[in-house]
Amino acid sequence: DQQVKQNSPSLSVQEGRISILNCDYTNSMFDYFLWYKKYPAEGPTFLISISSIKDKNEDGRFTVFLNKSAKHLSLHIVPSQPGDSAVYFCAASRIGSGDKLTFGTGTRLAVRP
Amino acid sequence: KAGVTQTPRYLIKTRGQQVTLSCSPISGHRSVSWYQQTPGQGLQFLFEYFSETQRNKGNFPGRFSGRQFSNSRSEMNVSTLELGDSALYLCASSLDGRSYGYTFGSGTRLTVV
């Protein structure tokens, strides 16, 4: 049972435009959400996170939006740069569950120059 | 400071063999978690160790086991390898068991033939 879903395996965007990556979850107990970025042959690196008490968190070019009623979150990258080309994973956790993250299957973002 | 170090980076094993992977966390980090990454499945949680104790466990068969030493280094063992165990195995360390404090290693690529 995939509790965190990224339904778009890939996304291609022109440099300078907005990239929107989407993530859906089914477990209403999740209360903390994270986005990770992964380059080939490297481990995932933390990008941005959001607590369930918020609906938006911004860090530079990256903004995460959370819609709890729809159990949906999205990552916006504006403007997109070629260096953003990577696989993006969303992940969810339940505070108090210890160090356990439930990941989506990832979306491969390609930013075209 | 040094990051999370995983050894070896690549490994080829034969079906039925066993394998041990190693993870050295960031100095001072007491929590180590292990994840398996396969195409189409994303990252799946294996287990988490905190201060030498397994605190959390994912839905993997008993062939997958781990341990943590007093210096927080962790090992993961897979016995009776199957072709389906071919994957990238990632470990992540954190200071105090909070999932948003994760730092991932670059992983060990295991191929079972």
Side-chain angles (χ1 to χ4, degrees):
Chain A
D1 175 31
Q2 194 74 25
Q3 296 186 64
V4 177
K5 301 178 186 179
Q6 293 176 258
N7 293 317
S8 298
S10 63
L11 176 68
S12 181
V13 170
Q14 190 78 36
E15 180 179 5
R17 307 294 290 268
I18 184 171
S19 294
I20 300 176
L21 295 93
N22 294 303
C23 180
D24 297 295
Y25 62 97
T26 57
N27 188 340
S28 57
M29 299 295 288
F30 289 141
D31 50 16
Y32 197 78
F33 304 90
L34 309 91
W35 284 94
Y36 282 83
K37 175 179 174 179
K38 186 179 185 300
Y39 293 116
E42 294 183 15
T45 54
F46 171 75
L47 202 53
I48 192 169
S49 63
I50 188 167
S51 160
S52 60
I53 63 173
K54 294 186 174 182
D55 54 19
K56 176 183 174 181
N57 189 25
E58 198 170 350
D59 184 2
R61 297 187 296 114
F62 302 92
T63 303
V64 56
F65 295 91
L66 175 63
N67 182 333
K68 280 181 296 184
S69 61
K71 294 191 179 70
H72 176 83
L73 64 153
S74 61
L75 174 68
H76 293 209
I77 306 173
V78 184
S80 301
Q81 300 173 354
D84 296 329
S85 297
V87 177
Y88 289 78
F89 291 96
C90 71
S93 73
R94 183 161 53 90
I95 292 177
S97 68
D99 255 358
K100 177 182 175 181
L101 290 177
T102 302
F103 282 85
T105 52
T107 296
R108 183 176 301 278
L109 173 66
V111 180
R112 307 186 305 274
Chain B
K1 61 182 178 183
V4 178
T5 304
Q6 290 190 246
T7 55
R9 288 295 307 273
Y10 302 92
L11 208 47
I12 299 176
K13 289 286 188 179
T14 304
R15 257 187 314 178
Q17 286 187 312
Q18 75 159 13
V19 66
T20 299
L21 312 181
S22 178
C23 173
S24 294
I26 289 173
S27 177
H29 283 194
R30 295 164 62 192
S31 170
V32 173
S33 297
W34 288 88
Y35 287 82
Q36 180 196 64
Q37 184 189 1
T38 54
Q41 290 290 321
L43 281 76
Q44 295 190 293
F45 175 76
L46 282 153
F47 27 66
E48 183 234 349
Y49 286 87
F50 185 83
S51 294
E52 301 180 65
T53 301
Q54 187 181 86
R55 191 165 62 172
N56 216 335
K57 190 176 189 306
N59 297 322
F60 278 81
R63 299 185 298 105
F64 292 81
S65 63
R67 59 178 175 168
Q68 187 179 35
F69 301 95
S70 59
N71 62 358
S72 293
R73 188 178 72 86
S74 178
E75 286 182 348
M76 187 193 115
N77 185 276
V78 188
S79 63
T80 320
L81 284 165
E82 300 177 0
L83 296 179
D85 297 333
S86 295
L88 179 67
Y89 290 88
L90 292 157
C91 86
S93 75
S94 69
L95 185 64
D96 55 5
R98 305 286 175 87
S99 56
Y100 47 83
Y102 267 5
T103 300
F104 279 91
S106 297
T108 294
R109 171 74 63 184
L110 171 65
T111 302
V112 182
V113 297

